[in-house]
Amino acid sequence: MIKYLRYILFTLILLVLSCDESENPYMLTITKGGNGAAYGITDPDYYQSSWSEFEVVTVTAEVDPNIEGASDGVHFEGWTGDVVSPLNQISVMMDSDKQLVANFDINEYTITINDVEGGSIALSPDPVNFISENQLVYYWNDQVTFSAVSDAGYTFNSWGGDLSGEINENVTLNIDSDLNISATFTDQCILTTNTTTGGSITPNYDEVSFDCGTQIQLTATSDEGYNFTDWTGNIDEN
């Protein structure tokens, strides 16, 4: 009798397990991919769940609206896996185990550096890609430092393009759009003043740099017992 009851109990357990498996026989697995995966969400947001045969499941992918700025810098690229689609919302019939990957990519922006005379423009860190020598690609929200580097005999004057108004030689920005950058450098002239016996020059310069074209007023003062005669050297008395 006890043996018979055990057989019945074991049979019931098998039937229950069989019913459970028949009700939800297939697994749906959803993951996120791409370099923008950390900014993406899916609805439903489960990783893995079981579904009954032929049940239709609708899933949606989007950039997380709770992350500031992400909707402007990250985009949904499409679904891959058992369903390939560029649409953010898809439906899948559960006639077997299914795997879906929601792919998110970070936007890329191009920084164009214009050729300049008297110096160069350096960017740090290195870009993620090059279109050309003067067109550099960065990801959205990358922090980039622009440095104006003067050639010998020149000095930095000003920024142009999308950095117009910046006054420092080094400017740091978080990238959120394409940029066009230029800079102006001014050539330098060196002034050295020398006097002979019997007087002095005010101000007295010893290889001091000025922007070429700058007017400098110099005064020659005679010592007692001497008279000023004339200027020599590279002098313009206008």
Side-chain angles (χ1 to χ4, degrees):
M1 182 66 178
I2 294 176
K3 183 178 180 180
Y4 179 72
L5 289 174
R6 287 179 177 175
Y7 173 77
I8 293 175
L9 181 60
F10 179 72
T11 302
L12 289 173
I13 291 173
L14 288 178
L15 287 171
V16 170
L17 292 175
S18 177
C19 289
D20 287 342
E21 290 177 357
S22 63
E23 286 180 3
N24 300 292
Y26 297 126
M27 298 299 297
L28 175 61
T29 303
I30 300 177
T31 56
K32 292 178 291 183
N35 59 18
Y39 298 94
I41 58 175
T42 61
D43 181 21
D45 62 354
Y46 46 69
Y47 163 68
Q48 198 172 59
S49 58
S50 59
W51 297 84
S52 59
E53 188 173 18
F54 301 126
E55 188 166 359
V56 176
V57 184
T58 299
V59 294
T60 303
E62 65 175 336
V63 177
D64 192 343
N66 296 314
I67 301 178
E68 184 177 357
S71 59
D72 295 323
V74 181
H75 64 277
F76 174 67
E77 186 69 16
W79 292 96
T80 55
D82 288 309
V83 176
V84 178
S85 173
L87 303 176
N88 71 313
Q89 185 178 85
I90 59 173
S91 296
V92 55
M93 178 179 289
M94 298 302 297
D95 53 4
S96 64
D97 289 339
K98 303 287 185 180
Q99 291 189 341
L100 300 175
V101 181
N103 297 286
F104 298 87
D105 283 340
I106 300 176
N107 294 347
E108 295 181 352
Y109 295 108
T110 301
I111 298 176
T112 301
I113 304 299
N114 295 297
D115 291 331
V116 295
E117 181 180 353
S120 60
I121 300 173
L123 275 63
S124 178
D126 291 335
V128 298
N129 197 8
F130 289 89
I131 297 176
S132 67
E133 183 179 347
N134 288 355
Q135 289 187 299
L136 316 178
V137 178
Y138 285 88
Y139 286 130
W140 165 77
N141 213 32
D142 278 350
Q143 190 175 76
V144 178
T145 297
F146 301 83
S147 299
V149 183
S150 304
D151 290 342
Y154 288 82
T155 186
F156 169 72
N157 184 278
S158 63
W159 289 103
D162 291 309
L163 289 184
S164 294
E166 298 286 348
I167 60 175
N168 296 321
E169 294 181 32
N170 299 304
V171 179
T172 300
L173 298 177
N174 283 72
I175 305 304
D176 59 6
S177 65
D178 293 334
L179 297 175
N180 192 296
I181 306 298
S182 62
T184 301
F185 298 87
T186 304
D187 54 340
Q188 298 287 285
C189 293
I190 298 175
L191 175 61
T192 301
T193 57
N194 296 296
T195 59
T196 58
T197 303
S200 62
I201 298 175
T202 306
N204 186 37
Y205 295 108
D206 182 14
E207 295 188 356
V208 178
S209 296
F210 294 93
D211 292 346
C212 292
T214 302
Q215 279 197 340
I216 304 296
Q217 183 173 343
L218 301 174
T219 302
T221 305
S222 303
D223 291 341
E224 186 175 354
Y226 288 84
N227 291 317
F228 171 74
T229 303
D230 58 14
W231 294 96
T232 57
N234 305 107
I235 193 71
D236 182 357
E237 298 184 58
N238 292 334

PDB file of all heavy atoms in Angstrom, residues 190-222:
ATOM      1  N   ILE A 190      62.182  92.055 -31.802  1.00  0.00           N
ATOM      2  CA  ILE A 190      63.000  92.235 -30.596  1.00  0.00           C
ATOM      3  C   ILE A 190      63.687  93.603 -30.646  1.00  0.00           C
ATOM      4  O   ILE A 190      64.304  93.965 -31.651  1.00  0.00           O
ATOM      5  CB  ILE A 190      64.044  91.112 -30.473  1.00  0.00           C
ATOM      6  CG1 ILE A 190      63.343  89.757 -30.331  1.00  0.00           C
ATOM      7  CG2 ILE A 190      64.982  91.366 -29.291  1.00  0.00           C
ATOM      8  CD1 ILE A 190      64.282  88.577 -30.324  1.00  0.00           C
ATOM      9  N   LEU A 191      63.555  94.337 -29.557  1.00  0.00           N
ATOM     10  CA  LEU A 191      64.172  95.665 -29.454  1.00  0.00           C
ATOM     11  C   LEU A 191      65.314  95.626 -28.443  1.00  0.00           C
ATOM     12  O   LEU A 191      65.128  95.199 -27.298  1.00  0.00           O
ATOM     13  CB  LEU A 191      63.133  96.708 -29.022  1.00  0.00           C
ATOM     14  CG  LEU A 191      63.659  98.119 -28.756  1.00  0.00           C
ATOM     15  CD1 LEU A 191      64.299  98.721 -30.008  1.00  0.00           C
ATOM     16  CD2 LEU A 191      62.527  99.007 -28.240  1.00  0.00           C
ATOM     17  N   THR A 192      66.477  96.079 -28.898  1.00  0.00           N
ATOM     18  CA  THR A 192      67.637  96.203 -28.017  1.00  0.00           C
ATOM     19  C   THR A 192      68.171  97.629 -28.134  1.00  0.00           C
ATOM     20  O   THR A 192      68.390  98.128 -29.246  1.00  0.00           O
ATOM     21  CB  THR A 192      68.736  95.209 -28.415  1.00  0.00           C
ATOM     22  OG1 THR A 192      68.229  93.876 -28.357  1.00  0.00           O
ATOM     23  CG2 THR A 192      69.931  95.326 -27.486  1.00  0.00           C
ATOM     24  N   THR A 193      68.351  98.283 -27.001  1.00  0.00           N
ATOM     25  CA  THR A 193      68.875  99.655 -27.009  1.00  0.00           C
ATOM     26  C   THR A 193      70.296  99.677 -26.457  1.00  0.00           C
ATOM     27  O   THR A 193      70.604  99.003 -25.464  1.00  0.00           O
ATOM     28  CB  THR A 193      67.971 100.575 -26.170  1.00  0.00           C
ATOM     29  OG1 THR A 193      67.876 100.067 -24.837  1.00  0.00           O
ATOM     30  CG2 THR A 193      66.579 100.676 -26.771  1.00  0.00           C
ATOM     31  N   ASN A 194      71.134 100.453 -27.115  1.00  0.00           N
ATOM     32  CA  ASN A 194      72.526 100.610 -26.676  1.00  0.00           C
ATOM     33  C   ASN A 194      72.894 102.095 -26.722  1.00  0.00           C
ATOM     34  O   ASN A 194      72.430 102.835 -27.597  1.00  0.00           O
ATOM     35  CB  ASN A 194      73.484  99.846 -27.590  1.00  0.00           C
ATOM     36  CG  ASN A 194      73.250  98.345 -27.541  1.00  0.00           C
ATOM     37  OD1 ASN A 194      73.427  97.731 -26.508  1.00  0.00           O
ATOM     38  ND2 ASN A 194      72.835  97.774 -28.666  1.00  0.00           N
ATOM     39  N   THR A 195      73.721 102.511 -25.811  1.00  0.00           N
ATOM     40  CA  THR A 195      74.187 103.904 -25.798  1.00  0.00           C
ATOM     41  C   THR A 195      75.715 103.949 -25.820  1.00  0.00           C
ATOM     42  O   THR A 195      76.392 103.022 -25.360  1.00  0.00           O
ATOM     43  CB  THR A 195      73.695 104.640 -24.532  1.00  0.00           C
ATOM     44  OG1 THR A 195      74.180 103.955 -23.377  1.00  0.00           O
ATOM     45  CG2 THR A 195      72.181 104.729 -24.514  1.00  0.00           C
ATOM     46  N   THR A 196      76.211 105.048 -26.390  1.00  0.00           N
ATOM     47  CA  THR A 196      77.656 105.278 -26.319  1.00  0.00           C
ATOM     48  C   THR A 196      77.946 106.155 -25.101  1.00  0.00           C
ATOM     49  O   THR A 196      77.035 106.531 -24.366  1.00  0.00           O
ATOM     50  CB  THR A 196      78.152 105.977 -27.597  1.00  0.00           C
ATOM     51  OG1 THR A 196      77.449 107.209 -27.762  1.00  0.00           O
ATOM     52  CG2 THR A 196      77.922 105.089 -28.825  1.00  0.00           C
ATOM     53  N   THR A 197      79.178 106.460 -24.908  1.00  0.00           N
ATOM     54  CA  THR A 197      79.548 107.296 -23.767  1.00  0.00           C
ATOM     55  C   THR A 197      78.885 108.669 -23.880  1.00  0.00           C
ATOM     56  O   THR A 197      78.815 109.267 -24.948  1.00  0.00           O
ATOM     57  CB  THR A 197      81.073 107.488 -23.721  1.00  0.00           C
ATOM     58  OG1 THR A 197      81.686 106.205 -23.662  1.00  0.00           O
ATOM     59  CG2 THR A 197      81.478 108.320 -22.514  1.00  0.00           C
ATOM     60  N   GLY A 198      78.363 109.172 -22.747  1.00  0.00           N
ATOM     61  CA  GLY A 198      77.837 110.525 -22.710  1.00  0.00           C
ATOM     62  C   GLY A 198      76.338 110.631 -22.642  1.00  0.00           C
ATOM     63  O   GLY A 198      75.783 111.730 -22.784  1.00  0.00           O
ATOM     64  N   GLY A 199      75.621 109.523 -22.391  1.00  0.00           N
ATOM     65  CA  GLY A 199      74.172 109.640 -22.286  1.00  0.00           C
ATOM     66  C   GLY A 199      73.496 108.302 -22.028  1.00  0.00           C
ATOM     67  O   GLY A 199      74.155 107.275 -21.838  1.00  0.00           O
ATOM     68  N   SER A 200      72.187 108.335 -22.036  1.00  0.00           N
ATOM     69  CA  SER A 200      71.399 107.119 -21.766  1.00  0.00           C
ATOM     70  C   SER A 200      70.113 107.151 -22.593  1.00  0.00           C
ATOM     71  O   SER A 200      69.699 108.200 -23.095  1.00  0.00           O
ATOM     72  CB  SER A 200      71.071 107.005 -20.279  1.00  0.00           C
ATOM     73  OG  SER A 200      70.283 108.114 -19.865  1.00  0.00           O
ATOM     74  N   ILE A 201      69.486 105.983 -22.718  1.00  0.00           N
ATOM     75  CA  ILE A 201      68.203 105.842 -23.425  1.00  0.00           C
ATOM     76  C   ILE A 201      67.155 105.374 -22.425  1.00  0.00           C
ATOM     77  O   ILE A 201      67.380 104.431 -21.658  1.00  0.00           O
ATOM     78  CB  ILE A 201      68.313 104.846 -24.582  1.00  0.00           C
ATOM     79  CG1 ILE A 201      69.329 105.334 -25.617  1.00  0.00           C
ATOM     80  CG2 ILE A 201      66.948 104.639 -25.247  1.00  0.00           C
ATOM     81  CD1 ILE A 201      69.569 104.332 -26.731  1.00  0.00           C
ATOM     82  N   THR A 202      66.006 106.015 -22.453  1.00  0.00           N
ATOM     83  CA  THR A 202      64.900 105.629 -21.575  1.00  0.00           C
ATOM     84  C   THR A 202      63.663 105.349 -22.442  1.00  0.00           C
ATOM     85  O   THR A 202      63.315 106.185 -23.279  1.00  0.00           O
ATOM     86  CB  THR A 202      64.576 106.761 -20.589  1.00  0.00           C
ATOM     87  OG1 THR A 202      65.772 107.128 -19.894  1.00  0.00           O
ATOM     88  CG2 THR A 202      63.526 106.312 -19.597  1.00  0.00           C
ATOM     89  N   PRO A 203      62.996 104.194 -22.235  1.00  0.00           N
ATOM     90  CA  PRO A 203      63.426 103.049 -21.425  1.00  0.00           C
ATOM     91  C   PRO A 203      64.590 102.321 -22.083  1.00  0.00           C
ATOM     92  O   PRO A 203      64.804 102.447 -23.273  1.00  0.00           O
ATOM     93  CB  PRO A 203      62.191 102.154 -21.383  1.00  0.00           C
ATOM     94  CG  PRO A 203      61.070 102.929 -21.979  1.00  0.00           C
ATOM     95  CD  PRO A 203      61.666 103.988 -22.845  1.00  0.00           C
ATOM     96  N   ASN A 204      65.285 101.558 -21.309  1.00  0.00           N
ATOM     97  CA  ASN A 204      66.418 100.793 -21.803  1.00  0.00           C
ATOM     98  C   ASN A 204      65.982  99.336 -21.980  1.00  0.00           C
ATOM     99  O   ASN A 204      65.497  98.700 -21.037  1.00  0.00           O
ATOM    100  CB  ASN A 204      67.573 100.889 -20.806  1.00  0.00           C
ATOM    101  CG  ASN A 204      68.828 100.227 -21.354  1.00  0.00           C
ATOM    102  OD1 ASN A 204      69.098 100.305 -22.543  1.00  0.00           O
ATOM    103  ND2 ASN A 204      69.583  99.580 -20.481  1.00  0.00           N
ATOM    104  N   TYR A 205      66.086  98.794 -23.188  1.00  0.00           N
ATOM    105  CA  TYR A 205      65.623  97.446 -23.476  1.00  0.00           C
ATOM    106  C   TYR A 205      66.795  96.558 -23.854  1.00  0.00           C
ATOM    107  O   TYR A 205      67.649  96.946 -24.658  1.00  0.00           O
ATOM    108  CB  TYR A 205      64.618  97.448 -24.635  1.00  0.00           C
ATOM    109  CG  TYR A 205      63.333  98.186 -24.319  1.00  0.00           C
ATOM    110  CD1 TYR A 205      63.070  99.421 -24.909  1.00  0.00           C
ATOM    111  CD2 TYR A 205      62.396  97.649 -23.449  1.00  0.00           C
ATOM    112  CE1 TYR A 205      61.892 100.096 -24.642  1.00  0.00           C
ATOM    113  CE2 TYR A 205      61.210  98.316 -23.168  1.00  0.00           C
ATOM    114  CZ  TYR A 205      60.964  99.543 -23.769  1.00  0.00           C
ATOM    115  OH  TYR A 205      59.804 100.196 -23.495  1.00  0.00           O
ATOM    116  N   ASP A 206      66.796  95.358 -23.301  1.00  0.00           N
ATOM    117  CA  ASP A 206      67.824  94.375 -23.627  1.00  0.00           C
ATOM    118  C   ASP A 206      67.133  93.134 -24.212  1.00  0.00           C
ATOM    119  O   ASP A 206      66.717  92.228 -23.483  1.00  0.00           O
ATOM    120  CB  ASP A 206      68.623  94.003 -22.381  1.00  0.00           C
ATOM    121  CG  ASP A 206      69.743  93.013 -22.684  1.00  0.00           C
ATOM    122  OD1 ASP A 206      70.057  92.830 -23.886  1.00  0.00           O
ATOM    123  OD2 ASP A 206      70.282  92.425 -21.736  1.00  0.00           O
ATOM    124  N   GLU A 207      66.958  93.143 -25.537  1.00  0.00           N
ATOM    125  CA  GLU A 207      66.299  92.049 -26.254  1.00  0.00           C
ATOM    126  C   GLU A 207      64.896  91.797 -25.701  1.00  0.00           C
ATOM    127  O   GLU A 207      64.550  90.693 -25.284  1.00  0.00           O
ATOM    128  CB  GLU A 207      67.137  90.769 -26.198  1.00  0.00           C
ATOM    129  CG  GLU A 207      68.475  90.898 -26.918  1.00  0.00           C
ATOM    130  CD  GLU A 207      69.204  89.574 -27.017  1.00  0.00           C
ATOM    131  OE1 GLU A 207      68.714  88.569 -26.464  1.00  0.00           O
ATOM    132  OE2 GLU A 207      70.258  89.536 -27.656  1.00  0.00           O
ATOM    133  N   VAL A 208      64.073  92.825 -25.735  1.00  0.00           N
ATOM    134  CA  VAL A 208      62.677  92.729 -25.295  1.00  0.00           C
ATOM    135  C   VAL A 208      61.782  92.557 -26.515  1.00  0.00           C
ATOM    136  O   VAL A 208      61.950  93.263 -27.521  1.00  0.00           O
ATOM    137  CB  VAL A 208      62.264  93.980 -24.493  1.00  0.00           C
ATOM    138  CG1 VAL A 208      60.805  93.893 -24.083  1.00  0.00           C
ATOM    139  CG2 VAL A 208      63.167  94.125 -23.268  1.00  0.00           C
ATOM    140  N   SER A 209      60.814  91.601 -26.455  1.00  0.00           N
ATOM    141  CA  SER A 209      59.930  91.311 -27.589  1.00  0.00           C
ATOM    142  C   SER A 209      58.690  92.193 -27.562  1.00  0.00           C
ATOM    143  O   SER A 209      58.081  92.411 -26.510  1.00  0.00           O
ATOM    144  CB  SER A 209      59.506  89.837 -27.561  1.00  0.00           C
ATOM    145  OG  SER A 209      60.622  88.994 -27.736  1.00  0.00           O
ATOM    146  N   PHE A 210      58.315  92.679 -28.754  1.00  0.00           N
ATOM    147  CA  PHE A 210      57.080  93.426 -28.957  1.00  0.00           C
ATOM    148  C   PHE A 210      56.387  92.891 -30.206  1.00  0.00           C
ATOM    149  O   PHE A 210      57.035  92.326 -31.092  1.00  0.00           O
ATOM    150  CB  PHE A 210      57.372  94.924 -29.160  1.00  0.00           C
ATOM    151  CG  PHE A 210      57.950  95.605 -27.958  1.00  0.00           C
ATOM    152  CD1 PHE A 210      59.337  95.713 -27.791  1.00  0.00           C
ATOM    153  CD2 PHE A 210      57.132  96.146 -26.980  1.00  0.00           C
ATOM    154  CE1 PHE A 210      59.877  96.338 -26.696  1.00  0.00           C
ATOM    155  CE2 PHE A 210      57.670  96.781 -25.872  1.00  0.00           C
ATOM    156  CZ  PHE A 210      59.047  96.880 -25.719  1.00  0.00           C
ATOM    157  N   ASP A 211      55.055  93.076 -30.269  1.00  0.00           N
ATOM    158  CA  ASP A 211      54.354  92.756 -31.507  1.00  0.00           C
ATOM    159  C   ASP A 211      54.907  93.643 -32.607  1.00  0.00           C
ATOM    160  O   ASP A 211      55.016  94.868 -32.439  1.00  0.00           O
ATOM    161  CB  ASP A 211      52.851  92.997 -31.371  1.00  0.00           C
ATOM    162  CG  ASP A 211      52.187  92.014 -30.418  1.00  0.00           C
ATOM    163  OD1 ASP A 211      52.823  91.003 -30.086  1.00  0.00           O
ATOM    164  OD2 ASP A 211      51.031  92.277 -30.014  1.00  0.00           O
ATOM    165  N   CYS A 212      55.256  93.036 -33.736  1.00  0.00           N
ATOM    166  CA  CYS A 212      55.782  93.837 -34.839  1.00  0.00           C
ATOM    167  C   CYS A 212      54.752  94.887 -35.250  1.00  0.00           C
ATOM    168  O   CYS A 212      53.560  94.589 -35.370  1.00  0.00           O
ATOM    169  CB  CYS A 212      56.119  92.934 -36.027  1.00  0.00           C
ATOM    170  SG  CYS A 212      57.518  91.834 -35.707  1.00  0.00           S
ATOM    171  N   GLY A 213      55.220  96.113 -35.445  1.00  0.00           N
ATOM    172  CA  GLY A 213      54.332  97.221 -35.776  1.00  0.00           C
ATOM    173  C   GLY A 213      53.988  98.091 -34.587  1.00  0.00           C
ATOM    174  O   GLY A 213      53.389  99.155 -34.746  1.00  0.00           O
ATOM    175  N   THR A 214      54.356  97.636 -33.376  1.00  0.00           N
ATOM    176  CA  THR A 214      54.086  98.429 -32.175  1.00  0.00           C
ATOM    177  C   THR A 214      55.003  99.655 -32.144  1.00  0.00           C
ATOM    178  O   THR A 214      56.203  99.551 -32.398  1.00  0.00           O
ATOM    179  CB  THR A 214      54.311  97.583 -30.908  1.00  0.00           C
ATOM    180  OG1 THR A 214      53.470  96.437 -30.949  1.00  0.00           O
ATOM    181  CG2 THR A 214      54.008  98.389 -29.654  1.00  0.00           C
ATOM    182  N   GLN A 215      54.431 100.811 -31.838  1.00  0.00           N
ATOM    183  CA  GLN A 215      55.238 102.034 -31.723  1.00  0.00           C
ATOM    184  C   GLN A 215      55.796 102.151 -30.307  1.00  0.00           C
ATOM    185  O   GLN A 215      55.064 102.055 -29.330  1.00  0.00           O
ATOM    186  CB  GLN A 215      54.382 103.272 -32.039  1.00  0.00           C
ATOM    187  CG  GLN A 215      54.212 103.542 -33.521  1.00  0.00           C
ATOM    188  CD  GLN A 215      53.737 104.959 -33.799  1.00  0.00           C
ATOM    189  OE1 GLN A 215      53.185 105.619 -32.923  1.00  0.00           O
ATOM    190  NE2 GLN A 215      53.978 105.433 -35.010  1.00  0.00           N
ATOM    191  N   ILE A 216      57.105 102.344 -30.226  1.00  0.00           N
ATOM    192  CA  ILE A 216      57.785 102.486 -28.935  1.00  0.00           C
ATOM    193  C   ILE A 216      58.444 103.873 -28.896  1.00  0.00           C
ATOM    194  O   ILE A 216      59.153 104.260 -29.826  1.00  0.00           O
ATOM    195  CB  ILE A 216      58.862 101.399 -28.743  1.00  0.00           C
ATOM    196  CG1 ILE A 216      58.245 100.005 -28.881  1.00  0.00           C
ATOM    197  CG2 ILE A 216      59.548 101.558 -27.392  1.00  0.00           C
ATOM    198  CD1 ILE A 216      57.233  99.682 -27.820  1.00  0.00           C
ATOM    199  N   GLN A 217      58.176 104.626 -27.829  1.00  0.00           N
ATOM    200  CA  GLN A 217      58.802 105.948 -27.676  1.00  0.00           C
ATOM    201  C   GLN A 217      60.072 105.816 -26.829  1.00  0.00           C
ATOM    202  O   GLN A 217      60.051 105.278 -25.725  1.00  0.00           O
ATOM    203  CB  GLN A 217      57.842 106.932 -27.001  1.00  0.00           C
ATOM    204  CG  GLN A 217      58.420 108.332 -26.879  1.00  0.00           C
ATOM    205  CD  GLN A 217      57.396 109.337 -26.370  1.00  0.00           C
ATOM    206  OE1 GLN A 217      56.209 109.083 -26.396  1.00  0.00           O
ATOM    207  NE2 GLN A 217      57.891 110.476 -25.911  1.00  0.00           N
ATOM    208  N   LEU A 218      61.168 106.290 -27.379  1.00  0.00           N
ATOM    209  CA  LEU A 218      62.450 106.262 -26.689  1.00  0.00           C
ATOM    210  C   LEU A 218      62.940 107.697 -26.492  1.00  0.00           C
ATOM    211  O   LEU A 218      62.734 108.561 -27.351  1.00  0.00           O
ATOM    212  CB  LEU A 218      63.485 105.473 -27.500  1.00  0.00           C
ATOM    213  CG  LEU A 218      63.157 104.010 -27.814  1.00  0.00           C
ATOM    214  CD1 LEU A 218      64.225 103.434 -28.745  1.00  0.00           C
ATOM    215  CD2 LEU A 218      63.066 103.194 -26.535  1.00  0.00           C
ATOM    216  N   THR A 219      63.608 107.934 -25.383  1.00  0.00           N
ATOM    217  CA  THR A 219      64.156 109.265 -25.080  1.00  0.00           C
ATOM    218  C   THR A 219      65.657 109.155 -24.839  1.00  0.00           C
ATOM    219  O   THR A 219      66.106 108.320 -24.032  1.00  0.00           O
ATOM    220  CB  THR A 219      63.481 109.868 -23.838  1.00  0.00           C
ATOM    221  OG1 THR A 219      62.068 109.938 -24.062  1.00  0.00           O
ATOM    222  CG2 THR A 219      64.042 111.248 -23.544  1.00  0.00           C
ATOM    223  N   ALA A 220      66.420 109.975 -25.564  1.00  0.00           N
ATOM    224  CA  ALA A 220      67.875 110.027 -25.372  1.00  0.00           C
ATOM    225  C   ALA A 220      68.198 111.191 -24.438  1.00  0.00           C
ATOM    226  O   ALA A 220      67.825 112.334 -24.703  1.00  0.00           O
ATOM    227  CB  ALA A 220      68.576 110.204 -26.710  1.00  0.00           C
ATOM    228  N   THR A 221      68.882 110.915 -23.347  1.00  0.00           N
ATOM    229  CA  THR A 221      69.217 111.943 -22.353  1.00  0.00           C
ATOM    230  C   THR A 221      70.736 112.087 -22.262  1.00  0.00           C
ATOM    231  O   THR A 221      71.449 111.098 -22.015  1.00  0.00           O
ATOM    232  CB  THR A 221      68.634 111.569 -20.971  1.00  0.00           C
ATOM    233  OG1 THR A 221      67.224 111.358 -21.102  1.00  0.00           O
ATOM    234  CG2 THR A 221      68.915 112.659 -19.959  1.00  0.00           C
ATOM    235  N   SER A 222      71.210 113.316 -22.476  1.00  0.00           N
ATOM    236  CA  SER A 222      72.665 113.570 -22.449  1.00  0.00           C
ATOM    237  C   SER A 222      73.163 113.700 -21.019  1.00  0.00           C
ATOM    238  O   SER A 222      72.483 114.260 -20.149  1.00  0.00           O
ATOM    239  CB  SER A 222      72.988 114.856 -23.217  1.00  0.00           C
ATOM    240  OG  SER A 222      72.519 114.781 -24.542  1.00  0.00           O
TER     241      SER A 222
END
